[in-house]
Amino acid sequence: MSQFNLKSVIIGVETTKGVAPAAASFYKLPINGEIGLSVQSNSGSNNVLSDSRLANEEYETTKTVSGNIPISADYKNVYFPLALGMGKPAVVTDNTDGTFTRIFTPLNCQETVTVQRRLSPLCVGANDFIETFKGVGIDGWSINIQDEKLQVPMTAKGGVVTDSNDTGFTAIDDTVAKQLTDNDIRKAHAVLTKGGIKYNLSNQLSIQIGNALSEQWYIGDGEFPSGLDLGAFTMNGSIAGVFDAAFLKTAKDSARSDFNVVFTHPVNPLIKLTFTLTNVFLKYKTEPFKVGEKATLSFDWVADIHSTVSATLTNEVAVY
């Protein structure tokens, strides 16, 4: 028996849910860690009269798809978690300086994707094993920055799976998939504004979004749930930095705050990623003071119906 290793993962945005786009429309993702996207066979159970003490009878129900798609984000491929999590930007602005700007907001409809992963044997003689997941939705993602490069684990849900063991299976040609590479996104600079005063709080930052995707199954539509409904959008996180007594006072006086987070390309300052959150609900907490260490101040924040949230990406990619 041959040992198999993960060789490639490609992702393509679908025009029609559950229909894979052309091979040339796919992108290779820089997978960071384990790609947990998988299919699970589920069952139900009835209690029946029998001659045995085993009174349950199992039967197969739907198959479900879920898992993680973790990527190391850079200034080009970060487009995918932004567009798939928040919604495809409605407008692309040509800045006439060689860069293009896209603004992502949760107002836009979410798209589905096709994901294909290829496993290759270490020994000669065995064939690759390929799985194709179609109609997959991104249930949410999280961004965690702590003096490290930007890692974005996306949570996926839904879809239909076929693999190279299935009769009539046709793989997507991953050799023509486009490769997006650029400098890793590092060293976030977060600025909070309260009462017209700006405070730098960039030690640690966390941003999470959720789409509350709900799978629906209709009789006669096959073994996989046939619907993937988009639920309410949520956005929250935390931020921490050096203790500032003046800012703590303003935080105690008013729960609402604005802040933005800026990532700037290390070579080309025109290329950047900015998160802007206005009128978010801020919950402060003072941390225990430790002898010999700087005092810190941290906040949990939640965006709600009174908030405005957006992500602005400026890079050199004209068309995705």
Side-chain angles (χ1 to χ4, degrees):
M1 179 179 293
S2 297
Q3 179 180 337
F4 284 77
N5 284 346
L6 182 63
K7 181 179 180 181
S8 69
V9 177
I10 58 174
I11 186 170
V13 180
E14 299 173 348
T15 301
T16 302
K17 180 180 179 297
V19 179
S25 300
F26 278 79
Y27 291 86
K28 291 183 179 179
L29 291 183
I31 297 299
N32 175 59
E34 172 187 325
I35 176 168
L37 196 60
S38 62
V39 59
Q40 175 177 313
S41 177
N42 303 302
S43 69
S45 178
N46 285 327
N47 290 328
V48 296
L49 289 174
S50 69
D51 293 331
S52 168
R53 292 184 62 217
L54 286 170
N56 63 299
E57 182 181 43
E58 293 292 310
Y59 58 91
E60 186 177 39
T61 58
T62 58
K63 293 183 173 69
T64 54
V65 175
S66 63
N68 296 321
I69 308 175
I71 70 171
S72 294
D74 60 38
Y75 289 94
K76 290 183 178 178
N77 68 49
V78 73
Y79 168 88
F80 291 103
L82 293 175
L84 300 176
M86 298 180 73
K88 185 178 179 180
V91 178
V92 180
T93 302
D94 185 344
N95 300 317
T96 70
D97 58 6
T99 66
F100 301 84
T101 296
R102 296 169 172 86
I103 299 177
F104 305 83
T105 72
L107 300 176
N108 298 318
C109 293
Q110 190 189 32
E111 297 176 290
T112 56
V113 296
T114 295
V115 180
Q116 178 178 279
R117 63 181 176 189
R118 178 186 295 269
L119 303 177
S120 293
L122 294 181
C123 300
V124 177
N127 296 323
D128 288 355
F129 178 77
I130 304 168
E131 286 180 301
T132 300
F133 301 78
K134 297 179 181 178
V136 175
I138 301 302
D139 201 27
W141 52 247
S142 63
I143 292 176
N144 300 291
I145 305 107
Q146 192 169 9
D147 303 323
E148 298 289 344
K149 63 184 180 181
L150 197 66
Q151 311 285 0
V152 186
M154 295 185 288
T155 303
K157 190 171 186 178
V160 176
V161 184
T162 55
D163 63 52
S164 48
N165 285 329
D166 296 331
T167 302
F169 174 80
T170 302
I172 299 163
D173 183 3
D174 52 14
T175 63
V176 300
K178 290 170 279 191
Q179 183 80 55
L180 286 177
T181 56
D182 202 349
N183 290 80
D184 290 331
I185 299 177
R186 299 174 183 264
K187 297 180 180 178
H189 181 65
V191 177
L192 273 75
T193 304
K194 287 188 72 68
I197 303 174
K198 293 183 179 181
Y199 299 89
N200 295 326
L201 296 169
S202 56
N203 285 9
Q204 183 176 341
L205 174 70
S206 173
I207 300 175
Q208 291 93 33
I209 72 164
N211 283 312
L213 294 181
S214 175
E215 290 182 302
Q216 303 293 330
W217 182 75
Y218 304 100
I219 294 175
D221 280 343
E223 59 185 1
F224 289 91
S226 52
L228 192 64
D229 295 339
L230 187 65
F233 181 84
T234 60
M235 194 168 192
N236 59 76
S238 62
I239 190 167
V242 177
F243 181 85
D244 188 304
F247 185 77
L248 176 59
K249 181 181 184 305
T250 62
K252 292 168 69 175
D253 292 342
S254 174
R256 295 286 176 174
S257 183
D258 306 337
F259 75 85
N260 59 21
V261 186
V262 182
F263 302 88
T264 303
H265 195 282
V267 178
N268 185 352
L270 296 175
I271 297 176
K272 62 182 62 178
L273 169 63
T274 303
F275 289 95
T276 302
L277 299 104
T278 303
N279 203 30
V280 296
F281 193 86
L282 199 66
K283 299 179 285 184
Y284 73 89
K285 55 182 178 181
T286 55
E287 302 293 343
F289 296 158
K290 298 180 182 179
V291 176
E293 296 183 9
K294 289 183 178 180
T296 60
L297 188 63
S298 63
F299 304 85
D300 291 331
W301 59 268
V302 178
D304 63 8
I305 59 174
H306 305 291
S307 307
T308 301
V309 299
S310 66
T312 303
L313 176 64
T314 299
N315 62 19
E316 298 169 306
V317 181
V319 179
Y320 280 93

